[in-house]
Amino acid sequence: MTEFSCNLDALNDEERARRAALQASLRPRVLEIRSVPSGYALRIAPGESLRPEVEEFISLERRCCPFLQFAIEEDEDGDWLWVRVTGAEGVKEYLAGELGVTR
């Protein structure tokens, strides 16, 4: 299995703090985690600032963890939002540890 690790030094102190704040805000809003072929899909509870927060988190996460790929799916009414996090071989196992998913 390939080893993956995020490089938080890719972000300055302010960006690291913002990333941590966004992660803390979004984590409890995850309603469901589904396994997908090369990663996981997370269903996030709707909220007024949901999409901008998710997009900001992803933009920061891509800089420190460039091996992750993200996709956002939203229904037309904005009632739910799925974030797919995938990557190369081995990323799924890495994500399972980060997300606390037991396989």
Side-chain angles (χ1 to χ4, degrees):
M1 178 175 91
T2 305
E3 293 293 321
F4 297 96
S5 63
C6 292
N7 176 12
L8 291 178
D9 290 335
L11 306 174
N12 64 35
D13 291 342
E14 183 179 312
E15 292 166 330
R16 277 193 296 276
R18 180 63 180 154
R19 179 191 166 277
L22 288 165
Q23 185 176 28
S25 171
L26 293 170
R27 189 174 287 266
R29 295 168 74 182
V30 174
L31 301 175
E32 180 180 356
I33 299 174
R34 287 187 185 170
S35 177
V36 296
S38 58
Y40 292 93
L42 293 76
R43 185 168 61 100
I44 302 176
E48 192 172 300
S49 62
L50 177 62
R51 180 129 189 166
E53 284 184 17
V54 168
E55 288 173 347
E56 183 180 3
F57 178 78
I58 289 171
S59 73
L60 294 168
E61 193 72 6
R62 281 184 169 144
R63 290 183 38 216
C64 62
C65 302
F67 54 88
L68 296 176
Q69 299 169 355
F70 297 89
I72 299 174
E73 298 175 31
E74 186 175 13
D75 78 341
E76 60 193 42
D77 298 323
D79 291 335
W80 54 262
L81 186 130
W82 284 95
V83 177
R84 288 180 181 266
V85 187
T86 59
E89 184 176 341
V91 163
K92 188 168 189 167
E93 290 75 16
Y94 167 82
L95 288 170
E98 291 294 306
L99 297 171
V101 175
T102 56
R103 295 182 62 171

